[in-house]
Amino acid sequence: MPFLYETHCHCAQCSKCAHSTAADMVRAYHSAGYAGLVLTDHFIFGNTAVPKDLPWEERMHRYYDAYLEAKAEGHKLDFDVIFGIEHFYGGGKEILFYGIDLAFLLNNPDIPDISIDTLVSRVHAAGGIAIHAHPFRDRGYINRSFAPRIDLVDGIEIYNACNSPGEDRQALELAKTRDFILTSGGDIHESDDPLIGAAGILLPCRVRDGKEFAAALKARNYALMIHGNALEQVTAEDLP
């Protein structure tokens, strides 16, 4: 029996656009039949709810504290919670980082000053991976002329439950240009969102932390949940 994991979701403690607590998100996903989730709140340059005038260490603890709240709730339910971030790097484009932790963030206080190239390199050196989120999303805050930095990432989110029609198909076409890891994410911000269940990855075994999650993505032994359907192979016809 496969284990379903959400790869992309937010909570109100760290993402301004979210409306539910980390614990509420865990309960909602558990009720929907998921085995776990990756909490990927908006990081320092994105739509973060963490005050930007706090000292670096306190800011990083705010992100991690939300994860710890979710993890504590998950422990009660035998539900896996994994730490991640969604990093805004320019033009409205964002990268999901998996396989990093609080120690990584605390040990890199110059993140606000380094290039996205350097940050991805450091994430890779720490054993993490980079997945480009919704590369063709079209919103007012996004500069469509700013090309996604696919040269840097390990994979592409080819299905995002919150995308508009056609955006995921463009992501799939982009993914075909290289041997990318493919992911599916809900990008959920509220515990009562009816799109919970639409997205995720189905793994053959459970994963307990970011390193195991990153390794599972690298192994590519999983199916994608696309619009509520588990698919081994995804075509343009499967996407909105």
Side-chain angles (χ1 to χ4, degrees), residues 107-164:
N107 290 332
N108 290 276
D110 60 344
I111 288 176
D113 305 312
I114 62 177
S115 68
I116 185 60
D117 305 64
T118 300
L119 178 55
V120 172
S121 178
R122 290 185 188 178
V123 169
H124 284 155
I129 61 173
I131 304 293
H132 206 295
H134 42 68
F136 291 104
R137 176 168 286 175
D138 189 5
R139 304 287 191 276
Y141 69 92
I142 294 175
N143 180 358
R144 288 298 303 273
S145 67
F146 189 100
R149 291 294 307 277
I150 61 166
D151 56 306
L152 296 178
V153 297
D154 306 286
I156 294 175
E157 185 181 66
I158 62 162
Y159 175 69
N160 183 294
C162 295
N163 270 357
S164 299

Side-chain angles (χ1 to χ4, degrees), residues 189-206:
H189 294 67
E190 300 181 39
S191 61
D192 60 353
D193 193 321
L195 288 174
I196 293 177
I201 64 171
L202 295 114
L203 295 170
C205 59
R206 291 178 67 172

Side-chain angles (χ1 to χ4, degrees), residues 22-163:
D24 284 341
M25 296 298 284
V26 166
R27 287 188 287 269
Y29 275 96
H30 177 263
S31 295
Y34 284 74
L37 62 78
V38 190
L39 193 60
T40 53
D41 278 308
H42 292 295
F43 200 48
I44 57 172
F45 296 136
N47 196 22
T48 180
V50 176
K52 298 182 179 182
D53 58 350
L54 294 175
W56 182 257
E57 183 172 338
E58 185 174 350
R59 291 170 74 188
M60 297 307 102
H61 276 283
R62 292 284 188 97
Y63 292 109
Y64 212 70
D65 284 349
Y67 155 73
L68 292 176
E69 177 189 303
K71 187 173 178 65
E73 189 65 24
H75 181 73
K76 300 175 188 176
L77 301 170
D78 191 28
F79 180 92
D80 302 314
V81 178
I82 296 158
F83 180 73
I85 59 173
E86 184 173 20
H87 183 68
F88 179 106
Y89 67 90
K93 301 298 192 293
E94 294 172 298
I95 292 176
L96 297 162
F97 288 120
Y98 305 120
I100 60 173
D101 55 16
L102 178 61
F104 175 87
L105 298 178
L106 293 178
N107 290 332
N108 290 276
D110 60 344
I111 288 176
D113 305 312
I114 62 177
S115 68
I116 185 60
D117 305 64
T118 300
L119 178 55
V120 172
S121 178
R122 290 185 188 178
V123 169
H124 284 155
I129 61 173
I131 304 293
H132 206 295
H134 42 68
F136 291 104
R137 176 168 286 175
D138 189 5
R139 304 287 191 276
Y141 69 92
I142 294 175
N143 180 358
R144 288 298 303 273
S145 67
F146 189 100
R149 291 294 307 277
I150 61 166
D151 56 306
L152 296 178
V153 297
D154 306 286
I156 294 175
E157 185 181 66
I158 62 162
Y159 175 69
N160 183 294
C162 295
N163 270 357

Side-chain angles (χ1 to χ4, degrees), residues 184-234:
S184 164
D187 202 358
I188 303 299
H189 294 67
E190 300 181 39
S191 61
D192 60 353
D193 193 321
L195 288 174
I196 293 177
I201 64 171
L202 295 114
L203 295 170
C205 59
R206 291 178 67 172
V207 292
R208 306 294 186 174
D209 58 31
K211 298 298 184 188
E212 290 185 3
F213 187 77
L217 289 181
K218 290 177 182 178
R220 309 188 191 206
N221 183 25
Y222 57 85
L224 297 176
M225 184 68 80
I226 305 291
H227 219 53
N229 300 308
L231 301 176
E232 296 288 341
Q233 301 288 334
V234 180

